[in-house]
Amino acid sequence: MTAGTELVRRPDAGAATVVELDGACGLSRDTIGGKAWSIDHMRALGLPVPPAFVITTDGWADYTRRGSIAEEIWAQVRDGIAMIERGTGRRFGSVERPLLVSVRSGAAISMPGMMDTVLNLGMTAAVEEALAAETRNAGYAEDTRRRFVQQYRETVLGDENGVVPVDPWEQLRGAVEAVFRSWDSPRAKTYRAHRGVADTLGTAVTVQAMVFGNLDEFSGTGVLFSRNPNTGDGPVYGEWLVGGQGEDVVSGRLTPRPLDDLAAAQPAVHARLIAAAELLERDGRDLQDVEFTVESGTLWLLQSRPAKRSARAAVRAAVAMVEEGLIGADEALDRVSADQVREVLRPASGDTGDQQPLARGESACPGLASGVVVTDPDEAEVRAEAGEDVILVRPTTSPDDLHGMIAARAIVTELGGTTSHAALVSRELGRPCVVGCGPGVVAALAGRTVTVDGGAGLVLPGAVVAKPVEQSVLDDVAQLAQWVGVDGDRLAERLEQRVTEDVEQEEVSVTAPVTELAVLRLIGIKGRVNADNLALSLFADAVEIAACCEGLVTAGFCATTPAGFRITPEGRPRLAQLLDAERETVDAAAMTVAYDEFCVFNADLKVIITDWQMKDPATVNDHADAEYDGSVLARLNDTHQRLRPLIARLGGLAPRLSRYLDRLDRAVERIAEGDHTYVARPIMDSYHTVWFELHEDLIGLCGLTRAEEAAAGRAH
């Protein structure tokens, strides 16, 4: 494509449904979508971007109401094509320097893989002949037409043998309508429903002049990252595919070449690309993912957005950008999650030599850790606070054990599988974990120094030296820890606290009087918890809760620790007394029936949480596949909606349980808003945490014990 005269000024943005993207559009992402906003912003920066216009979300809303494109809007679309024609010196539907365009969706929020796109629109047999004659490259013209026909049939017609319209304007109308319709496709609706995205937002449609990476040997398409998305280091990192077009690079169908190949073949183009990436990163103050096309030695940028990155890249880039003055320390801390810190610090397996394992089970969470085996969670916490490395080994675990699990370097259980409490919690904590090692393991390992190889599912004698974490990683983690004011080994915990601080500041409504039983029971289940988090869980006033806790401390039923209040040995008989009294007020037969129903849901939920954490038994879910995550969250939401009547019924049987429905609803709302820490984070009111606490309460109200239920296979 050859750039021609500048596009004419667009009509007043306030009145137009179709708006030129000339760098001065001034409309929000909500109105024009992320892709159009990116195009307009790059043009404002003076970067080479093919001319384009956008049909705003108002156009989608109008189409949805009418079921067709209004004639006044279609007239604006024709004006938009005329703008592109003037900007390129080409004519849409003509055999004299024909213009082809792309038609892409443009929602305000990113919905990867959910919406439709059509490239090379305007292609006909006559246009193919004209392009072949103009470029003296019949192969390019034939390839371009083949791509268009295949994509139009798939996206617009939904028929691989469908008849593609000959009239380019009819093609364009069909493609725009297809993009509008794709907003309400089942996959898109499911994606939105489980990310809290309103169906009323709608999609814009971006129409842009095509540039051709499949034109000749000096053409291609590529993806560039302003820093390596795997390591976070500079310089730029990317791939390049000679003769490619559209999504050829990211689809995985073809093997691209290193960006160095572009530097060798077309150094001037490569230099311009690097300069553009650096500008976009400085402007966006974040690692950028840039799509580009080279057409016969001319560089064109198509999109730029914040890049997805590995845990290592997130840590490295956050620290580096502070050092470079792009962002501040607080923003760097906001960009790194607790999970990412745990991942970069997780040691790889070491050299086990010919040692025979002391125990063998299922791998629940990878990693390597050594320490002395303790079998009591309270002892694990005390010894860990004294600086000792401990391994917690239990028949099975429950929410009561959480404080010991947090303190331990690794976790081992006799019972349970990869969907057990120990497995689910250990993955969220980042603790190596081996489950289902068989009866007798607790007694056999108690007091021994062992090494847990979570990836291999082994417990080995003695301390196995792990491969060291790279010093550069330790340095970056130490810097982040210094900025937040903690030691490096507490960075992940502090980052989790930062996530919940905003929630803790929210005004809460009291749903029922807070009783001594409610407070003492929640402290007992959580192990260690501060007054603010208690208030959040109980939907109560923090001052009232703090006063109640102080009263429990004065009575000797609770004690204060750096991590919050804990129940004392004297408090456990008091809690048992209160629970016995509560049980006397409950219809035992009705509670047993309800608990049996709960256990059916329990089996489903454990699988859902496991699938959220692991894509398969050997693959940790890195949450880079939005479609996969969306399907898992859809299952979680469906299970929750089916469960709500049961939990409401439980609240009628035992009023103290009524708060569980509010807590689970809140977790679902947070997940829908995009905060996925509310799926399974142990130290907050995540869905998984609240669910297990409810399970623990139901066991008690049915007059059962965790050990009995574990033996029955219902409480691993």
Side-chain angles (χ1 to χ4, degrees), residues 586-601:
V586 173
D587 183 331
M591 181 61 72
T592 298
V593 170
Y595 178 53
D596 287 340
E597 291 181 39
F598 175 90
C599 288
V600 175
F601 286 102

Side-chain angles (χ1 to χ4, degrees), residues 556-568:
F557 299 146
C558 286
T560 56
T561 75
F565 296 101
R566 66 168 176 83
I567 197 166
T568 61

Side-chain angles (χ1 to χ4, degrees), residues 508-584:
V508 294
S509 58
V510 178
T511 59
V514 176
T515 63
E516 178 187 358
L517 171 59
V519 176
L520 198 58
R521 178 58 168 160
L522 198 52
I523 293 173
I525 289 180
K526 288 185 175 295
R528 303 291 184 275
V529 59
N530 63 38
D532 286 341
N533 283 334
L534 279 170
L536 188 68
S537 296
L538 294 170
F539 292 85
D541 180 73
V543 175
E544 177 188 358
I545 293 298
C548 180
C549 290
E550 290 301 329
L552 292 171
V553 171
T554 301
F557 299 146
C558 286
T560 56
T561 75
F565 296 101
R566 66 168 176 83
I567 197 166
T568 61
E570 295 76 18
R572 294 196 181 279
R574 174 58 176 167
L575 175 58
Q577 178 187 16
L578 294 171
L579 288 172
D580 286 342
E582 181 185 46
R583 194 179 303 115
E584 292 296 322

Side-chain angles (χ1 to χ4, degrees), residues 287-298:
L287 197 162
Q288 295 294 305
D289 173 353
V290 183
E291 298 176 15
F292 68 94
T293 289
V294 178
E295 182 188 83
S296 290
T298 299

